[in-house]
Amino acid sequence: MSMLNIENVHTYYGNIHALKGVSLKLEKGEIVTLIGGNGAGKTTTLRTIAGLLHPRQGSVSMDGQDLLKYKPHEIVYKGISMVPEGRGIFARLTVTENLEMGSYSRNDKAEIHRNTERVFTLFPRLKERRTQVAGTLSGGEQQMLATGRALMANPTVLLMDEPSMGLAPVLVEFVFDTIQQINKEGTTILLVEQNALMALSVANRGYVLQTGEIVIHDTAENLKKNPTVQKAYLGME
């Protein structure tokens, strides 16, 4: 059985049919990427897994346990954390206070301290700025903080929505190096990313979403060689 299973999911925004029978799975230890154009349904897929949207049809399960009966904060308890598109930090709180907000689902102070140190090891700049108000951080630092906050819940599965959006090229490389490091430390990752080439360079497998439907699923290496993917998402003719 796969760690995370999404089967035949249909999600709507009002009368708009956003996901039309999406099925995908994550195996323990993988990085899986979801690529597609704007409006394809990538963020909707992540929001459905995280419990922020409830599908009208289909199933979402983690280690065989139905997630659809749980509220978003309860899904965090089940081991799924999300780094949202646009970062979604608490702008008026300090870096440390933002990280503390990420650990709300836990009460083991020693373990929370270890997680904080893990975040500061991954992102030394956050340690330097731990008393700084988050809204005054640069875009790259805010992305680090959003990722660090999600890691404070000690997730088994990390959902990442456009982590490189709006960042300078040197920071994009750092973000993807960090994604690989988080994965090596044992966290399974589902990655939504406009920079398809970078996403496929770190992923094991990928799914291509088009107007709410999975149209291609393959290994990352094969997707990089796929003529349709090259033309539509990798900027190659």
Side-chain angles (χ1 to χ4, degrees), residues 87 89-91 93-96 98-99 125-146:
R87 295 148 201 157
I89 58 162
F90 300 102
L93 301 183
T94 66
V95 166
T96 298
N98 267 270
L99 294 178
R125 207 176 303 183
L126 292 184
K127 188 170 187 177
E128 295 168 11
R129 288 159 171 69
R130 57 187 178 274
T131 60
Q132 189 169 325
V133 174
T136 64
L137 298 174
S138 70
E141 291 162 350
Q142 289 185 14
Q143 184 60 53
M144 294 174 202
L145 182 56

Side-chain angles (χ1 to χ4, degrees), residues 77-141:
Y77 298 144
K78 299 296 176 186
I80 298 177
S81 285
M82 184 168 172
V83 184
E85 181 181 2
R87 295 148 201 157
I89 58 162
F90 300 102
R92 295 184 182 181
L93 301 183
T94 66
V95 166
T96 298
E97 287 167 340
N98 267 270
L99 294 178
E100 287 170 351
M101 292 295 284
S103 63
Y104 75 89
S105 63
R106 307 167 63 201
N107 53 25
D108 183 338
K109 288 187 178 180
E111 192 64 27
I112 290 170
H113 176 74
R114 278 193 290 273
N115 272 84
T116 305
E117 289 307 309
R118 177 196 180 196
V119 169
F120 285 155
T121 300
L122 278 170
F123 306 113
R125 207 176 303 183
L126 292 184
K127 188 170 187 177
E128 295 168 11
R129 288 159 171 69
R130 57 187 178 274
T131 60
Q132 189 169 325
V133 174
T136 64
L137 298 174
S138 70
E141 291 162 350

Side-chain angles (χ1 to χ4, degrees), residues 71 114 147 198 202 228:
K71 295 176 182 176
R114 278 193 290 273
T147 304
M198 287 295 282
V202 301
T228 302

Side-chain angles (χ1 to χ4, degrees), residues 210-226:
Q210 197 171 300
T211 57
E213 297 180 80
I214 302 286
V215 293
I216 307 172
H217 165 230
D218 211 332
T219 65
E221 282 304 312
N222 284 345
L223 287 173
K224 281 193 280 188
K225 298 170 189 171
N226 184 300

Side-chain angles (χ1 to χ4, degrees), residues 150-174:
L151 290 174
M152 287 298 294
N154 209 21
T156 310
V157 174
L158 185 64
L159 311 176
M160 303 190 78
D161 196 358
E162 303 287 4
S164 78
M165 182 183 283
L167 300 184
V170 64
L171 282 174
V172 170
E173 209 161 295
F174 173 76

Side-chain angles (χ1 to χ4, degrees), residues 12-25:
Y12 290 73
Y13 291 99
N15 292 323
I16 298 169
H17 197 174
L19 297 184
K20 305 165 186 173
V22 165
S23 296
L24 59 88
K25 62 182 179 180

